Amino acid sequence: MELPFVIGGIFAVIVLRALVKRLFYPRPLPGIPYDKESAKRITGDLPSIAAIYKEVTEWGLPIGRRSLKYGSPIHQLFMNPFSKPYVMIDDPREVADLLLRRTKEFDKSVSAGVWQTFLPYSTIAQQTTPEWKAQRKTWQDSMHPDFLRRVVSYHIYAAAKDLTRLWEVRSLKSNGQPVDVSGDFSYAALDAIWTATFGEQLDLANAQIQMLETGKKIQTKGLDMHSTVQYINDLANIWRGSFWPALTRWRMQRNPDYIRYMKLKDQEIDRILLDASARFQKVLNGSSDGEEHDTCAMDLILRRSMLAAQKAGKPVPDPTKDQRMRDELLLFIYAGHDTTSTTLQWFVKHITNNPEAQTKLREALRSAFPGGSLPDVADIISKDVPYLNAAIEETLRCAGTVGRTVRVATADTELLGHKIPAGTELALLTTVKWHSPQVPEEVRSPSSRAALEKSGGVDWTLKPNAQDLDQFAPERWFKIDEQGNEVFDSGALIQNAFGGGTRGCFGRRLAMMELRIMITLTVMSFKFLPVPPELNSFQVNEQLLRPPRQCFVKLEAA
């Protein structure tokens, strides 16, 4: 009796151990490199990520550099038990091919995260379905060049002017010492995007001016909303170290801070929507369709929704009950605020540390906009300034504001010669900061090989402008045309900063307009003088995005 019992016990232990290993331990995909020690832990790569983050306060790009150690631009990362490995793709050419040309095989990932928690009905939180396409179509005119030029550009310009006035006050109060302007960019970017979205002013930069001039701390509705918007960034750190994301999400939604911020946000959005609805109800009672009354993105979409209901003989819908409209409006704010702020912080750091590029940019702007005064917004957005274009592209490349974008395989497929099962999530490197390990051309997709042939057949890593990628050099975005002239070339390097394809960044045109206006006014108004090494760290403080840990400037009137 004892022997069968012992054998049965041993067999049960073996089965249990195998079951635990299968359920809890990482299961690597065959043939794709991975960290062998991480595969032996239930927690996978989380301890490595935590250690890297503790040391350098970022993880996305340092983890990506494992590709150099593996000698492979594709490798695996084990993030959570019960889940498939993440596949990391660090080859810019393959990333561009996947985003632009392989959209039937790879879609937007909608695994539970920040957007799915905060804005579940927004387009960024959905996969590419007919419903998603209809929702995107509803909003497409809010990014039309004519609407941006006619309505939005003036809001951005006003916020940029407020930023220059704030810096004038800071410069006077600083006694020639460097000042931290990371918060200033956040205030100016939110001032711009809030007014462009809702048509109301937060006056965040002006509140800072008032506090500097009076020495008294003030609290305004704008500062309350700024705190609410910033809260979403803090959530990224909660998810980063989460062993069980679903439980983390459940607990977070019951957190008093979360509840308070959500209540504040909902009350403000309800008020704005109801005020706008009442205003347009009066307008639509006349014969006009009310287009001339559009002052922001919300006006455009809300007016059309109300007009469609009116023409169909239906009651005007209550906009506060339209969850898709609410979430999409808030997506404008969340996605359009911190991305611009972070990119501008990196711009001033790079331009401060590259005085030759700074001088060239200022001279190019003064040549384009002569007369000794700041240009108006119409001139800024219509005038072609090649060196400004190049400086913006190089800033986007060097900033790596969004370090990676995530896609999911919608079918069993192949990538760089490796089998990728359906449901596998891929974290795609969006920045071009190093040469990824080479792979044989035959393992690339047919569409990738065809794109190379169409572009001239020269691998991007061999081009002169793809060397010294650790340097900030706007000149790499120029080429010599057929007439022997130096001209700006937006295709000089692979640029994945905004993603690409059907699910590329919806707000790309808005972001480029913001960068163009903000950079033009600040560079024409100020010189960015050198700051001491202890205030000039290029270390990242990665959260949802990758802002620099320090953003100090020493300003002098230009």
Side-chain angles (χ1 to χ4, degrees), residues 8-311:
I10 293 173
F11 180 75
V13 169
I14 292 172
V15 170
L16 181 61
R17 182 179 179 183
L19 186 62
V20 168
K21 188 171 183 179
R22 180 170 180 79
L23 289 177
F24 292 95
Y25 281 78
R27 285 172 284 168
L29 298 175
I32 302 176
Y34 59 90
D35 184 75
K36 299 297 190 293
E37 291 302 314
S38 295
K40 299 175 183 178
R41 298 188 292 252
I42 292 178
T43 52
D45 281 296
L46 284 179
S48 301
I49 292 173
I52 290 171
Y53 191 83
K54 184 177 181 181
E55 180 181 355
V56 297
T57 58
E58 69 168 324
W59 71 277
L61 295 190
I63 285 289
R65 288 185 180 273
R66 283 184 179 180
S67 63
L68 303 178
K69 180 181 75 172
Y70 298 143
S72 168
I74 179 172
H75 54 103
Q76 303 180 66
L77 203 62
F78 311 120
M79 297 294 287
N80 301 109
F82 309 109
S83 63
K84 296 179 180 180
Y86 267 81
V87 174
M88 317 292 281
I89 306 296
D90 295 339
D91 183 297
R93 182 178 152 198
E94 207 64 23
V95 168
D97 181 60
L98 189 154
L99 293 172
L100 293 170
R101 307 176 196 99
R102 300 182 66 179
T103 54
K104 292 183 178 179
E105 301 167 79
F106 301 97
D107 197 2
K108 181 80 174 178
S109 171
V110 294
S111 59
V114 173
W115 301 121
Q116 285 69 32
T117 299
F118 259 89
L119 308 173
Y121 296 97
S122 66
T123 49
I124 201 173
Q126 303 173 43
Q127 286 195 306
T128 311
T129 63
E131 292 77 17
W132 176 89
K133 291 178 181 178
Q135 187 170 340
R136 173 62 68 89
K137 186 177 181 179
T138 298
W139 289 85
Q140 65 184 9
D141 282 351
S142 65
M143 289 296 150
H144 191 280
D146 179 66
F147 182 74
L148 293 176
R149 174 192 57 77
R150 180 171 51 85
V151 176
V152 176
S153 64
Y154 292 93
H155 298 316
I156 298 171
Y157 187 81
K161 290 291 291 288
D162 287 344
L163 176 63
T164 61
R165 285 193 289 270
L166 172 58
W167 281 5
E168 287 170 359
V169 176
R170 284 211 187 280
S171 186
L172 287 172
K173 298 283 186 179
S174 68
N175 296 318
Q177 297 302 307
V179 293
D180 182 359
V181 295
S182 56
D184 296 347
F185 279 128
S186 183
Y187 297 136
L190 186 54
D191 272 339
I193 195 66
W194 188 274
T195 312
T197 303
F198 293 119
E200 293 191 355
Q201 295 182 340
L202 291 180
D203 283 329
L204 290 164
N206 285 326
Q208 297 302 306
I209 293 172
Q210 185 178 340
M211 284 190 278
L212 283 170
E213 290 180 337
T214 64
K216 297 178 180 179
K217 187 175 181 178
I218 63 172
Q219 194 63 32
T220 67
K221 177 191 73 176
L223 292 173
D224 287 339
M225 293 313 301
H226 183 265
S227 297
T228 302
V229 172
Q230 287 296 101
Y231 179 69
I232 194 173
N233 220 354
D234 298 334
L235 294 181
N237 284 333
I238 299 174
W239 256 279
R240 178 172 295 110
S242 173
F243 181 74
W244 190 350
L247 178 61
T248 299
R249 181 181 184 180
W250 183 86
R251 292 178 58 188
M252 185 205 66
Q253 289 175 326
R254 286 151 182 80
N255 181 283
D257 284 340
Y258 179 90
I259 294 170
R260 175 168 58 88
Y261 282 123
M262 292 304 97
K263 182 179 179 181
L264 181 64
K265 176 260 296 181
D266 288 339
Q267 288 175 342
E268 188 63 14
I269 300 305
D270 284 350
R271 181 192 64 78
I272 293 172
L273 284 170
L274 289 173
D275 286 352
S277 180
R279 173 164 48 87
F280 274 118
Q281 187 65 65
K282 295 177 182 178
V283 171
L284 296 181
N285 285 337
S287 58
S288 168
D289 68 1
E291 181 177 349
E292 67 276 12
H293 295 278
D294 291 343
T295 63
C296 58
M298 177 193 67
D299 284 358
L300 175 69
I301 305 304
L302 182 59
R303 175 182 57 79
R304 289 183 175 180
S305 172
M306 296 175 67
L307 189 62
Q310 186 184 62
K311 288 181 177 179

Side-chain angles (χ1 to χ4, degrees), residues 186-449:
S186 183
Y187 297 136
L190 186 54
D191 272 339
I193 195 66
W194 188 274
T195 312
T197 303
F198 293 119
E200 293 191 355
Q201 295 182 340
L202 291 180
D203 283 329
L204 290 164
N206 285 326
Q208 297 302 306
I209 293 172
Q210 185 178 340
M211 284 190 278
L212 283 170
E213 290 180 337
T214 64
K216 297 178 180 179
K217 187 175 181 178
I218 63 172
Q219 194 63 32
T220 67
K221 177 191 73 176
L223 292 173
D224 287 339
M225 293 313 301
H226 183 265
S227 297
T228 302
V229 172
Q230 287 296 101
Y231 179 69
I232 194 173
N233 220 354
D234 298 334
L235 294 181
N237 284 333
I238 299 174
W239 256 279
R240 178 172 295 110
S242 173
F243 181 74
W244 190 350
L247 178 61
T248 299
R249 181 181 184 180
W250 183 86
R251 292 178 58 188
M252 185 205 66
Q253 289 175 326
R254 286 151 182 80
N255 181 283
D257 284 340
Y258 179 90
I259 294 170
R260 175 168 58 88
Y261 282 123
M262 292 304 97
K263 182 179 179 181
L264 181 64
K265 176 260 296 181
D266 288 339
Q267 288 175 342
E268 188 63 14
I269 300 305
D270 284 350
R271 181 192 64 78
I272 293 172
L273 284 170
L274 289 173
D275 286 352
S277 180
R279 173 164 48 87
F280 274 118
Q281 187 65 65
K282 295 177 182 178
V283 171
L284 296 181
N285 285 337
S287 58
S288 168
D289 68 1
E291 181 177 349
E292 67 276 12
H293 295 278
D294 291 343
T295 63
C296 58
M298 177 193 67
D299 284 358
L300 175 69
I301 305 304
L302 182 59
R303 175 182 57 79
R304 289 183 175 180
S305 172
M306 296 175 67
L307 189 62
Q310 186 184 62
K311 288 181 177 179
K314 297 179 180 179
V316 173
D318 180 354
T320 66
K321 307 300 184 186
D322 188 338
Q323 197 60 54
R324 293 184 185 277
M325 179 184 290
R326 293 172 63 94
D327 280 9
E328 204 68 22
L329 286 168
L330 287 166
L331 178 61
F332 271 62
I333 301 299
Y334 290 133
H337 156 239
D338 263 351
T339 49
T340 301
S341 170
T342 297
T343 304
L344 287 169
Q345 289 179 59
W346 283 115
F347 167 76
V348 297
K349 288 189 71 67
H350 284 293
I351 213 72
T352 296
N353 284 272
N354 294 273
E356 184 177 344
Q358 181 182 162
T359 299
K360 286 183 179 180
L361 176 57
R362 188 173 295 107
E363 289 176 350
L365 290 170
R366 285 177 173 166
S367 176
F369 308 116
S373 60
L374 293 176
D376 62 29
V377 67
D379 285 340
I380 294 175
I381 62 177
S382 62
K383 188 83 171 183
D384 183 35
V385 187
Y387 202 86
L388 173 61
N389 299 336
I392 291 173
E393 291 292 342
E394 186 70 347
T395 297
L396 290 168
R397 182 189 74 82
C398 292
T401 296
V402 180
R404 290 184 182 272
T405 188
V406 182
R407 294 292 185 267
V408 61
T410 55
D412 292 344
T413 186
E414 192 170 303
L415 199 58
L416 294 173
H418 298 281
K419 301 293 184 182
I420 304 295
T424 302
E425 295 199 325
L426 301 98
L428 314 175
L429 188 69
T430 60
T431 187
V432 180
K433 289 196 173 186
W434 63 81
H435 291 174
S436 60
Q438 293 293 304
V439 297
E441 193 66 17
E442 57 267 22
V443 306
R444 294 187 182 275
S445 70
S447 55
S448 178
R449 296 198 297 271

